């Protein structure tokens, strides 16, 4: 039996209910597979934690994350809970991503069957690419350290050679190993999204990206400007396989990608470094629908599948992703146009548990 130590941060808003749903599904999966066991340690984190202790996460929780095999996180932050500088107190991006150097933010954008995706004329799986967001530098490196006077504020976009190199390498490795979404023309491809026509930081990033690309000539390297890319991600999403971006562009454009496949509630993510990783939905805490049992738990459940894949439980990960797929295929989960769950969240969780028994 493979046993893994998992830190669980349930978060704020819809966090606790979707994390709970995902843990129920994981329970079913563990029983069914019988080869692995997840040992959970629960810690508070986010806006509610900040209100209690003045920090969004405790030192004990950070210590636990450092020694755990992985961290399973719900969304954190509440819009009204802010630091004295005016920014939100609950998100843990700075603490966890920069703090633990989790530079690769992997966000699969995949179109499931029967989702209320705005591009519904597209067939399921025609959209199936990875957003790879650089997670530790770019404009967000300026988080908390911008220059502020009463009359002007400056945040600086900085990228480093090391940062550009490692995220580019990760992108080409991902393209080489990508299991699903095989290119129709048989050619594997990585797309860099930047604004190198305007900013020197992006010209620097592009040069490094193209240098790294030479290491894998069998994979096409292409570059798109972010403005044109945001149109292309809507008009021809099937073109993309691996998209790599600077931190803030990745934050913004991965939400756009999520909207093309039925909403952010469909979208999981992994934050991966050389030694540690955590898994979470790409969306926020949706306080307006919290506690109503209508949030889509799929993002959190698929984040669990990504975690299992990272832990080396690839078969279990695959089973879970397939069970979610089948729940949509068999119309056991229906999404509203706004991307929430039509009916009860409990029904969706039960549907995925049932489908697990069929995979
Ligand atoms: C995300 C979120 C965070 C980010 C927020 C909550 C700080 O939007 O994970 O995409 O900006 O990275
Ligand atoms: Mn975001």
């Amino acid at each position: 039996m493979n046993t893994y130590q998992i830190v669980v941060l349930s978060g704020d808003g819809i966090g606790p209910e979707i994390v709970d749903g995902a843990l129920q599904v994981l329970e079913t999966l563990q029983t069914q597979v019988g080869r692995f066991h997840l040992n959970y340690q629960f810690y508070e984190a986010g806006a509610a934690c900040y209100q209690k202790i003045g920090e969004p996460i405790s030192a004990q929780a950070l210590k636990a994350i450092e020694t755990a095999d992985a961290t399973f996180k719900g969304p954190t932050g509440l819009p009204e809970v802010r630091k004295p500088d005016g920014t939100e107190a609950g998100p843990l991006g700075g603490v966890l991503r920069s703090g633990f150097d989790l530079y690769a933010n992997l966000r699969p954008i995949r179109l499931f069957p029967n989702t209320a995706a705005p591009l519904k004329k597209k067939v399921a799986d025609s959209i199936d690419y990875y957003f790879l967001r650089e997670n530790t530098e770019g404009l967000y490196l300026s988080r908390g350290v911008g220059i502020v006077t009463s009359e002007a504020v400056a945040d600086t976009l900085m990228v480093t050679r090391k940062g550009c190199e490692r995220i580019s390498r990760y992108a080409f490795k991902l393209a080489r190993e990508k299991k699903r979404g095989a290119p129709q023309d048989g050619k594997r491809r990585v797309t860099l999204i930047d604004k190198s026509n305007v900013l020197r930081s992006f010209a620097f990033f592009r040069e490094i990206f193209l240098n790294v690309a030479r290491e894998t000539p069998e994979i096409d390297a292409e570059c798109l400007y972010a403005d044109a890319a945001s149109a292309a991600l809507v008009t021809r999403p099937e073109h993309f396989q691996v998209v790599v971006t600077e931190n803030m562009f990745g934050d913004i454009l991965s939400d756009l990608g999520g909207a093309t496949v039925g909403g952010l509630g469909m979208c999981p993510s992994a934050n991966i470094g050389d030694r540690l990783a955590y898994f979470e939905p790409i969306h926020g805490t949706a306080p307006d629908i919290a506690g109503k049992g209508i949030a889509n738990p799929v993002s959190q459940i698929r984040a669990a599948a990504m975690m299992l894949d990272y832990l080396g439980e690839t078969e279990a990960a695959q089973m879970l992703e397939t069970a979610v797929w089948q729940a949509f295929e068999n119309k056991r989960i229906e999404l509203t146009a706004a991307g929430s769950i039509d009916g009860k969240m409990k029904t969706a969780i039960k549907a995925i548990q049932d489908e697990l028994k069929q995979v």
Side-chain angles (χ1 to χ4, degrees):
M1 182 73 91
N2 300 328
T3 301
Y4 303 100
Q5 305 302 327
I6 307 296
V7 168
V8 180
L9 311 171
S10 295
D12 304 300
I14 58 169
E17 55 195 296
I18 60 175
V19 167
D20 186 62
L23 295 183
Q24 287 173 38
V25 172
L26 279 172
E27 196 57 47
T28 308
L29 183 63
Q30 282 181 80
T31 311
Q32 195 172 323
V33 175
R35 248 192 343 260
F36 72 96
H37 177 69
L38 304 175
N39 224 343
Y40 302 122
Q41 287 169 267
F42 295 86
Y43 287 93
E44 261 192 297
C49 180
Y50 179 85
Q51 284 172 316
K52 273 191 205 153
I53 65 168
E55 296 289 342
I57 189 163
S58 67
Q60 295 94 295
L62 290 174
K63 224 168 152 198
I65 290 170
E66 276 210 88
T67 50
D69 294 304
T71 295
F72 190 54
K73 177 185 168 295
T76 56
L78 291 172
E80 69 279 10
V81 183
R82 292 187 176 257
K83 292 188 275 195
D85 71 3
T87 62
E88 252 193 67
L92 297 173
V95 191
L96 299 182
R97 295 172 185 166
S98 304
F100 292 124
D101 202 24
L102 310 179
Y103 63 91
N105 188 346
L106 194 55
R107 300 182 156 194
I109 306 293
R110 184 182 188 195
L111 183 61
F112 279 62
N114 303 316
T115 46
L119 311 179
K120 49 178 163 296
K121 276 185 248 141
K122 309 264 181 203
V123 295
D125 245 357
S126 61
I127 306 176
D128 190 7
Y129 63 91
Y130 281 108
F131 233 101
L132 181 60
R133 162 185 177 187
E134 202 295 322
N135 223 8
T136 55
E137 46 184 54
L139 191 54
Y140 289 176
L141 188 62
S142 193
R143 189 184 343 239
V145 294
I147 302 166
V148 180
T149 74
S150 61
E151 298 312 308
V153 177
D155 283 311
T156 309
L157 194 166
M158 179 150 88
V159 291
T160 66
R161 182 172 297 282
K162 177 184 164 192
C164 296
E165 252 169 30
R166 65 182 181 179
I167 200 69
S168 300
R169 269 211 186 93
Y170 199 104
F172 286 98
K173 184 167 179 283
L174 194 62
R176 204 170 39 226
E177 293 168 0
K178 192 170 185 284
K179 295 175 199 124
R180 288 193 322 261
Q184 282 151 8
D185 55 5
K187 190 81 188 161
R188 291 188 180 253
R189 174 184 314 119
V190 177
T191 310
L192 174 73
I193 294 182
D194 66 25
K195 276 299 282 184
S196 61
N197 50 342
V198 181
L199 294 178
R200 292 177 68 176
S201 50
F202 287 117
F204 177 84
F205 195 152
R206 184 180 281 207
E207 193 189 323
I208 293 167
F209 169 80
L210 291 172
N211 276 335
V212 171
R214 289 200 191 98
E215 295 166 9
T216 42
E218 72 278 17
I219 297 172
D220 270 354
E222 69 172 11
C223 303
L224 272 182
Y225 298 137
D227 41 4
S230 56
L233 289 166
V234 175
T235 54
R236 49 185 182 103
E238 53 283 284
H239 168 79
F240 298 98
Q241 296 171 26
V242 174
V243 169
V244 58
T245 62
E246 175 271 339
N247 202 341
M248 187 170 81
F249 277 163
D251 183 16
I252 296 168
L253 293 176
S254 59
D255 275 24
L256 181 149
T260 64
V261 293
L264 307 190
M266 295 299 297
C267 300
S269 73
N271 297 268
I272 301 178
D274 291 333
R275 210 172 53 79
L276 298 176
Y278 77 91
F279 301 83
E280 64 179 348
I282 75 167
H283 55 74
T285 56
D288 53 324
I289 59 164
K292 295 184 180 162
I294 58 168
N296 184 358
V298 166
S299 56
Q300 194 74 51
I301 291 167
R302 293 183 65 214
M306 291 185 86
M307 179 170 77
L308 291 170
D309 192 53
Y310 169 82
L311 292 171
E313 299 295 337
T314 39
E315 203 187 316
Q318 186 55 53
M319 282 170 68
L320 186 46
E321 179 83 357
T322 305
V324 176
W325 180 274
Q326 284 177 192
F328 280 99
E329 189 155 57
N330 297 331
K331 302 196 172 172
R332 299 201 50 195
I333 305 179
E334 281 178 39
L335 295 186
T336 63
S340 63
I341 289 273
D342 218 356
K344 291 272 172 276
M345 191 168 80
K346 282 200 180 95
T347 320
I349 289 160
K350 171 85 171 37
I352 295 170
Q353 286 172 313
D354 289 348
E355 292 297 344
L356 264 178
K357 290 169 192 147
Q358 315 294 322
V359 296

